Amino acid sequence: MRPPRTKTGPLRSVPRSRRAAVTAVAALLALCAPTAAAGAPTADGRPHRPCVGSRLPERGPARAILRITERAKAEMDLKSVILRVTVDGREVVTTALGESMTGVPATPAMHFRNGNIAISYMGTALLRLVDRGVVRLDDPVARWLPGLKDGDRITLRMLAASTTGLVDYVRLPEFQRAVTADPFRQWTADELVRLSTSKERWYEPGTNWSYSHANFVLLGAALEKITGTRLDVLLRQEVLGPLGLRETRNGFTPDIPAPVLHAFTSDRGTYEESTFWNPSWTTAPGAVETTDICDLASSAAGIGSGRLLSPSSYRELLNPGTVGLGHATAKCPATVCLAQTEATHYGLGLLVLGDWVSQHPLFFGYSASQAYLPSGRLAIAVSTTNGPKAPGGHSAHTIAQRIAAALVPAHPIPDFG
């Protein structure tokens, strides 16, 4: 079953006055960086430049962004904030505030976990296969995952758009107890999928919407079977390489490449370091990645603009039929089966929030946000870690929302759900 199709937020026509406002802001911000940004991919064979902080002016957009960030860091008791803002790929500001560890300043070159941002790479990789005629979005996954219950009724579209009805194993009490008891445990894809498929599904495939980590574990497995290529290699070939994301890489262990942004959390009741807690349960093996802030900003622009996709696949990326889905049922509360509206809805591995294309992962003391405004070619990337009194939650996304409100007030980033 294929859900009804409607237009998406970023592809809606923008009133002329708003287009002019975005153009004016983009032109102003572009003046802040007349040269190539640090950490940008080089096409002329020169050595790769590390991600470094920009020189902060005394006035202008970069100074305004810094003030917003300083206030948010203090207000939310954040241990560190690393951010980068670009317009049309040109740097407005790149900076880091606070500490990675006591006495160790945070820097823009530090690596952190990017969580579900890798899911947007899987969505784009899938659509690149569609563009080449390798698969169709509405192909049933039983062809590649014959052991999956109802695999003949679940399509690639449903996995990537999270409309299968599979229970999210992250919400299960037994999973939460296991992770809390041993956050260093290595989980296998089979274990994770079994947790979900052992429960009664929330709804019939394609009839509703709910976020389930199991969908993306299965999507990763399907992509490997379709291509005969290991997922981390496939994502490098199809997405990371073409976008020049040279500091973004998969890890099959909890290790993080140096330099490391350390994380801390009070999730288990005591403020403790969580940097190397095992992220194996977060998504498909091969897509458990780390990155830096320069790559995160490039990712926001590359994925959000649909640079690697045909126009038709870009439309599918932004709305694969999710608009109009999402309603509470006897099995699925409204807090899980969230309403998908034209203004805020899930695409293929990403969020459409008003006029922005976004993702904002949260994992054991790490919070990050990538957001892209196609009409202004404005990219915002933020990474945060928690202090001992931090309230938790998507602090990086909150900072991204505040930056957007200051730079393009006609284009706020709404909350999802």
Side-chain angles (χ1 to χ4, degrees), residues 385-417:
T385 58
N386 293 332
K389 297 180 181 179
H394 294 281
S395 55
H397 184 59
T398 298
I399 293 173
Q401 289 176 305
R402 294 179 184 182
I403 292 172
L407 297 183
V408 281
H411 299 266
I413 305 177
D415 290 323
F416 179 63

Side-chain angles (χ1 to χ4, degrees), residues 71-404:
R71 287 195 293 268
K73 179 180 178 298
E75 173 191 326
M76 293 186 274
D77 189 37
L78 300 176
K79 192 170 186 66
S80 71
V81 181
I82 306 176
L83 68 90
R84 180 172 170 87
V85 178
T86 66
V87 172
D88 203 17
R90 302 175 72 183
E91 179 184 66
V92 178
V93 62
T94 304
T95 193
L97 307 177
E99 296 181 317
S100 171
M101 298 183 291
T102 301
V104 179
T107 70
M110 287 180 167
H111 298 100
F112 50 87
R113 303 199 188 281
N114 67 355
N116 61 18
I117 287 169
I119 294 171
S120 69
Y121 304 155
M122 285 197 279
T124 289
L126 172 61
L127 288 170
R128 282 169 66 83
L129 296 176
V130 171
D131 280 339
R132 294 201 292 269
V134 176
V135 295
R136 298 172 300 170
L137 282 180
D138 295 313
D139 285 342
V141 299
R143 176 179 172 186
W144 303 283
L145 304 176
L148 178 64
K149 182 181 179 181
D150 294 327
D152 58 332
R153 297 196 296 140
I154 294 174
T155 66
L156 293 170
R157 180 192 302 274
M158 292 174 193
L159 287 180
S162 205
T163 61
T164 65
L166 287 172
V167 169
D168 188 1
Y169 56 79
V170 170
R171 293 179 176 271
L172 298 176
E174 57 266 40
F175 174 81
Q176 295 174 1
R177 287 193 297 268
V179 170
T180 299
D182 183 9
F184 298 99
R185 174 176 171 176
Q186 180 77 22
W187 293 82
T188 68
D190 286 344
E191 287 176 320
L192 298 171
V193 171
R194 278 200 301 271
L195 281 170
S196 287
T197 56
S198 66
K199 307 297 181 182
E200 186 178 1
R201 71 173 66 250
W202 278 327
Y203 48 84
E204 289 300 299
T207 63
N208 207 337
W209 184 90
S210 56
Y211 191 90
S212 175
H213 289 72
N215 291 324
F216 307 112
V217 176
L218 289 165
L219 177 60
L223 288 172
E224 289 189 331
K225 292 291 184 64
I226 290 166
T227 62
T229 304
R230 206 173 68 187
L231 184 60
D232 60 314
V233 176
L234 179 68
L235 295 182
R236 172 64 58 185
Q237 293 172 344
E238 296 291 342
V239 182
L240 305 184
L243 292 182
L245 306 183
R246 296 178 63 173
E247 295 298 325
T248 304
R249 64 200 69 174
N250 170 69
F252 288 110
T253 74
D255 191 31
I256 299 176
V260 179
L261 179 67
H262 286 248
F264 302 82
T265 184
S266 300
D267 284 354
R268 300 201 302 173
T270 301
Y271 185 65
E272 58 187 327
E273 180 165 1
S274 53
T275 308
F276 300 108
W277 287 7
N278 199 316
S280 56
W281 56 267
T282 56
T283 190
V288 182
E289 296 175 344
T290 56
T291 192
D292 71 7
I293 203 68
C294 285
D295 267 17
L296 193 62
S298 295
S299 166
I303 296 297
S305 66
R307 183 187 309 164
L308 303 179
L309 302 175
S310 68
S312 60
S313 282
Y314 183 49
R315 288 191 292 271
E316 296 282 9
L317 179 77
L318 299 180
N319 178 24
T322 49
V323 172
L325 296 179
H327 55 273
T329 69
K331 298 177 184 176
C332 190
T335 53
V336 174
C337 287
L338 296 172
Q340 304 295 291
T341 69
E342 188 172 341
T344 59
H345 60 270
Y346 202 74
L348 286 182
L350 48 73
L351 293 165
V352 174
L353 302 179
D355 295 320
W356 295 77
V357 184
S358 179
Q359 265 291 21
H360 44 272
L362 184 67
F363 172 82
F364 287 154
Y366 284 111
S367 173
S369 178
Q370 70 172 35
Y372 185 71
L373 179 66
S375 61
R377 300 186 299 279
L378 172 62
I380 301 173
V382 185
S383 174
T384 64
T385 58
N386 293 332
K389 297 180 181 179
H394 294 281
S395 55
H397 184 59
T398 298
I399 293 173
Q401 289 176 305
R402 294 179 184 182
I403 292 172

